[in-house]
């Protein structure tokens, strides 16, 4: 687990990075960049950051709504544990005669 830096530690870290960057000439930077891009094991940061964390985006995402349910109905579904909202959706789909989404 990473330790969170204080603002002072961040300033020191940024200054250290800036000094390192300032010490490299444009020619050295160009040579290092070319070598890195020519290396087949190099993975560009953009390749690593394209995917966002979390669930993949659904083709037909569910819509948040506000619905009033009887307390006993709500208690029943909540008592079935995690996924109770999906089970309500499934019950409503069956009642409406709709196919299950893939």
């Amino acid at each position: 687990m990473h330790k969170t830096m204080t603002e002072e530690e961040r300033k020191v870290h940024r200054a250290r990075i800036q000094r390192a960057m300032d010490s490299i000439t444009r020619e050295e930077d160009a040579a290092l960049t070319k070598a890195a891009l020519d290396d087949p094991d190099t993975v560009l940061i953009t390749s690593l950051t394209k995917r966002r964390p979390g669930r993949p985006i659904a083709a037909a995402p569910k819509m948040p709504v506000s619905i009033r349910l009887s307390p006993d109905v709500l208690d029943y579904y909540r008592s079935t544990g995690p996924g109770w909202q999906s089970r309500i959706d499934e019950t409503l789909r069956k009642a409406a005669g709709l196919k299950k989404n893939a």
Side-chain angles (χ1 to χ4, degrees), residues 54-63 101-102:
R55 290 180 172 219
I57 297 173
K62 293 181 180 177
M63 304 295 297
N101 284 347

Side-chain angles (χ1 to χ4, degrees), residues 18-97:
Q18 190 62 50
R19 281 193 306 274
M21 290 175 63
D22 291 345
S23 70
I24 297 173
T25 66
R26 288 184 184 260
E27 292 79 18
E28 290 171 325
D29 183 47
L32 288 169
T33 301
K34 181 180 180 339
L37 292 174
D38 290 344
D39 184 345
D41 294 328
T42 297
V43 177
L44 297 177
I45 290 176
T46 55
S47 302
L48 297 174
T49 57
K50 280 185 181 175
R51 186 180 173 280
R52 294 181 51 172
R55 290 180 172 219
I57 297 173
K62 293 181 180 177
M63 304 295 297
V65 296
S66 177
I67 183 172
R68 298 170 73 87
L69 300 172
S70 301
D72 56 339
V73 172
L74 189 57
D75 289 342
Y76 168 78
Y77 278 99
R78 283 186 173 165
S79 72
T80 63
W84 63 270
Q85 292 169 320
S86 294
R87 284 187 287 283
I88 291 175
D89 183 67
E90 185 179 325
T91 302
L92 291 171
R93 286 185 149 288
K94 284 180 186 175

